[in-house]
Amino acid sequence: MNKNQLAAKIWESANKMRSNIEANEYKDYILGFIFYKYLSEKEENWLLKRDYTPEDIKEYVNEDDPETVQSAQQSLGYFIAYEHMFSTWVKSGSDFSVDNVRVALSSFSRLISPSHKRVFEGIFNTLETGLSKLGKDTKSQTKAVRDLIHLINEIPMGSRKQDYDMLGFIYEFLIEKFASNAGKKAGEFYTPHEVSLLMSEIVADHLKDRNEIKIYDPTSGSGSLLINIGASAAKYMPDANRIRYYAQELKSNTYNLTRMNLVMRGIIPDNIVTRNADTLEEDWPYFDESDPAATYEPLYVDAVVSNPPYSQQWDPSGKENDPRYARYGIAPKSKADYAFLLHELYHLKPDGIMTIVLPHGVLFRGGEEGKIRTNLIENDNIEAIIGLPANIFYGTGIPTIIMVLRQKRSGNDVLIIDASKGFEKVGKSNKLRACDIRKIVDTVTHKLTIDKFSRLVSKEEIRKNDYNLNIPRYVDSSEETETWDLYASMFGGVPEHELNRLVDYWKVFPSLKDALFTMNHGYGKLKVSDIKGTIFDNVDVQKFIEDYKNKFSHFDETLEHELIDQAETVSTVKEKDEISSDLLSRFEDISLIDKYKAYEAFDKGYEEISGDLELIQSEGMDCVKAVDPNMVLKKNKEVQEGWKGHILPFDLVQNNLLKDELDTISKQEERLQEIPSEYSTLLDELSEDDKETISEALNEENDAFVFKNFKKVIKAIDDKNLKDVLKKADQFNKEEKELKSSIKKANQELHLKTRDTIMSLSNEEVKQLLFIKWIQPITNAINELPNELLKDFASQIKNLSDKYKDTYEDIDQEIKNTEKELVKMLGDLTGDEADMAGIRQLQKMLGGD
């Protein structure tokens, strides 16, 4: 299974296992065991490369062999004896005990290399102290841990890049899932992946011409923000090992997550510099306390990224001379937002960049914060402000911003973006889509002004607004208020000024307006009944569609060549960027269509493609021809229920290579659906006398009239016509039974034939099916965009026409006619004198006599 399927399976099982343990706590156990498995298997791979056999590892890898211990410590930074290896736990079966884990973790701590203490020391403290919470006694704790170990054992952790990628994906997938279940505590350790990716792409674009990079997160949480920056920046670098990661985190269990996450992504320990301390109270140490003179080095980095706690209290006393705040001011005691911002800005190199998530209040609050904001603007530090959708972070629904800052920059305009409207609803939360992220990144990197979305604002304008940066002051993203033209309401026709709101369409389709409307003194009368047909038949529209098709005429061939022909070697990350750039560049001369919708279609398709490519690059192209047992859970036990394609879904193969068999079954199923209706019609036509005859033939009060009793009824009655009807109904019954049996057998045969077909595919058929699975959904979605646009345009035209279709005079006359009808109906009513007096008064009010 690919990484998405495996991650989902592990999450589902782990979530069931945690029982009543809080998600925020349980994450520390499962993530801790994943990390221990990673370290254990990394050592095993290292030993195997040094010509140890599995038997040698079992016999010699222990603390009694100081040469092996020291060699492992020098190469890996730690040593794990065979008896404490994760694989040994798995093999132990019923002999395994939770005490094995306690002893192993204690031994690990004791055998860390002195040179790697800062990376590994105390990293399993949270797991070790929490084992007792997994059960009330040793027996229940052992069962809980054994279940976890066997679940985690499914995660591949080899030495290949694909294994690192899968491990990192699963790790972050689990962190995100635990965050979504952790309530308010989620914000302590996780920034949603989409927000993290947005910040990382902005930073990576700024750093893309550098050979060495230092990046820093002063409130690192799980470390995902740092890792995403590194991954984004690495796309533009020849050597990812030239990225150095600095992380600081206050909470010890979250600090451990940071270190685990960084190590498991294959980042070499020398590039990991972490610290468990209060960022605001204990600024980054400029030296190693054990050797201050030789290790003195101020921390100045190329990029800072952070999602600090919002508006938390802090202690500003004694900070007047702190170099972080002396130039700009000190944040108020009740809100540390600007304290975090200034701390990060201080550690930024002159040519560096930082992105920080903050609450909207930092844009307009006064007092000390107003002074700091003024200084930041006057010193040209703020490059961009991005307003995010509300309810996008776990644990809080407040709307937030991303602020992009620099130490030195050439311009003094501030790019303000209102991205609050771009998201999709996922459960109770809002989530940035791939198209939203790409649009924001493009807007920031190219400093674009887009109507109702973004604007470059001059420093002079900000000064006039008293340094208030509240986004609605500069970018109005609200929908236009509905207005009604008085003349059109009275006499009909669409006002020209309302038609002019569609000016972008009239420019691209110059003949279309006259084809749709007859204009008279500034008002248009719709002159066609088929709006949609008129639009699609228009020569300018047809040219627009044709030009669009030409732009993408060979796009499918490009995708086929890049992704299918080079499936075993293509870099999924770099290829995605190259295809994305190619895709978006094709829209340079295309008006009206939103290119980011095309990007979203590509991104969604590419997610599945990249998962398949990882399997192909890990197992070879022949894995496309592989099938796997389809395992299902029955009575808490996994059992096989047929087969499934390793990469190719069975229904895809059936629809394209086994169409005749599929059609035969489909026709049988259609006939099966028809029988109940025909049977019911037949029996519904029986007379009451016929039904009475049938009841008498049954001769038993509780003997129901069902198919099993037909023979008894037919034999018991003499009426030939009724016999014929019942015989026909019985034939339907037999046909239904035979069809069900035939369909079941045919489906079983088709299932096995599909399995055999996949396993015997030719290379050409493999390419054909991958094209259908990977390429067609993307190109179909992109090719459909003009149709979607024109259908929406037709709806807008219809709505405008309908808006003024009924004039005030028409409505007034309709009301009068209705009143007359009602007066007449009231006149037909009868009642006592009081009722009639009331009715006469109502008739008078409605205009009657």
Side-chain angles (χ1 to χ4, degrees), residues 167-418:
L167 173 61
F169 176 86
I170 291 173
Y171 194 80
E172 182 160 351
F173 182 95
L174 292 175
I175 290 176
E176 180 174 15
K177 287 295 184 182
F178 280 119
S180 68
N181 283 262
K184 291 185 177 180
K185 291 184 178 291
E188 296 175 2
F189 63 87
Y190 189 69
T191 300
H193 176 73
E194 294 74 26
V195 177
S196 176
L197 185 61
L198 167 59
M199 298 167 77
S200 301
E201 289 295 317
I202 291 170
V203 169
D205 183 80
H206 181 77
L207 302 178
K208 63 184 176 185
D209 57 346
R210 308 188 189 193
N211 292 319
E212 291 185 345
I213 294 172
K214 290 181 178 180
I215 54 179
Y216 171 41
D217 185 344
T219 56
S220 60
S222 67
S224 296
L225 263 173
L226 269 180
I227 288 163
N228 279 314
I229 288 186
S232 294
K235 293 185 295 186
Y236 306 107
M237 298 177 70
D239 184 4
N241 287 331
R242 299 182 77 86
I243 302 174
R244 193 167 173 84
Y245 299 80
Y246 295 83
Q248 185 160 335
E249 172 57 44
L250 174 61
K251 299 200 171 186
S252 58
N253 61 336
T254 311
Y255 168 67
N256 291 336
L257 287 184
T258 291
R259 292 188 290 168
M260 291 178 190
N261 210 353
L262 289 167
V263 171
M264 282 196 294
R265 299 305 178 100
I267 299 167
I268 57 177
D270 285 347
N271 281 340
I272 299 173
V273 186
T274 60
R275 190 165 183 242
N276 182 198
D278 187 327
T279 289
L280 300 181
E281 293 301 321
E282 301 172 71
D283 193 10
W284 196 270
Y286 294 161
F287 51 83
D288 186 330
E289 286 86 345
S290 63
D291 187 8
T295 60
Y296 179 87
E297 182 187 0
L299 179 66
Y300 295 114
V301 299
D302 299 281
V304 187
V305 62
S306 74
N307 178 20
Y310 307 142
S311 302
Q312 77 166 18
Q313 290 200 348
W314 76 304
D315 184 6
S317 58
K319 300 293 194 298
E320 295 83 2
N321 297 318
D322 190 317
R324 295 176 292 175
Y325 312 120
R327 182 181 176 191
Y328 292 91
I330 300 173
K333 180 179 180 180
S334 60
K335 294 178 178 66
D337 301 314
Y338 272 113
F340 283 109
L341 185 152
L342 294 176
H343 165 86
E344 296 172 25
L345 189 62
Y346 173 78
H347 286 289
L348 202 59
K349 290 179 181 178
D351 61 348
I353 187 171
M354 65 173 274
T355 57
I356 181 172
V357 180
L358 294 166
H360 271 261
V362 299
L363 300 178
F364 52 79
R365 291 192 298 242
E368 295 93 334
E369 291 185 306
K371 294 173 185 175
I372 295 171
R373 188 169 60 249
T374 298
N375 288 328
L376 289 168
I377 293 166
E378 288 297 340
N379 283 288
D380 302 324
N381 297 121
I382 302 176
E383 183 164 81
I385 294 164
I386 305 162
L388 297 174
N391 201 30
I392 204 168
F393 288 90
Y394 297 116
T396 177
I398 67 169
T400 51
I401 63 161
I402 293 174
M403 197 179 286
V404 184
L405 299 102
R406 303 260 300 276
Q407 276 283 12
K408 302 288 183 185
R409 63 191 186 102
S410 56
N412 60 15
D413 293 337
V414 177
L415 179 66
I416 296 182
I417 301 172
D418 185 347

Side-chain angles (χ1 to χ4, degrees), residues 494-520:
V494 181
E496 191 160 27
H497 67 85
E498 293 195 36
L499 288 174
N500 287 342
R501 292 176 187 170
L502 302 171
V503 64
D504 291 340
Y505 291 92
W506 308 135
K507 285 179 180 177
V508 178
F509 313 133
S511 65
L512 184 56
K513 187 176 176 183
D514 289 339
L516 290 168
F517 293 96
T518 300
M519 300 304 297
N520 185 20

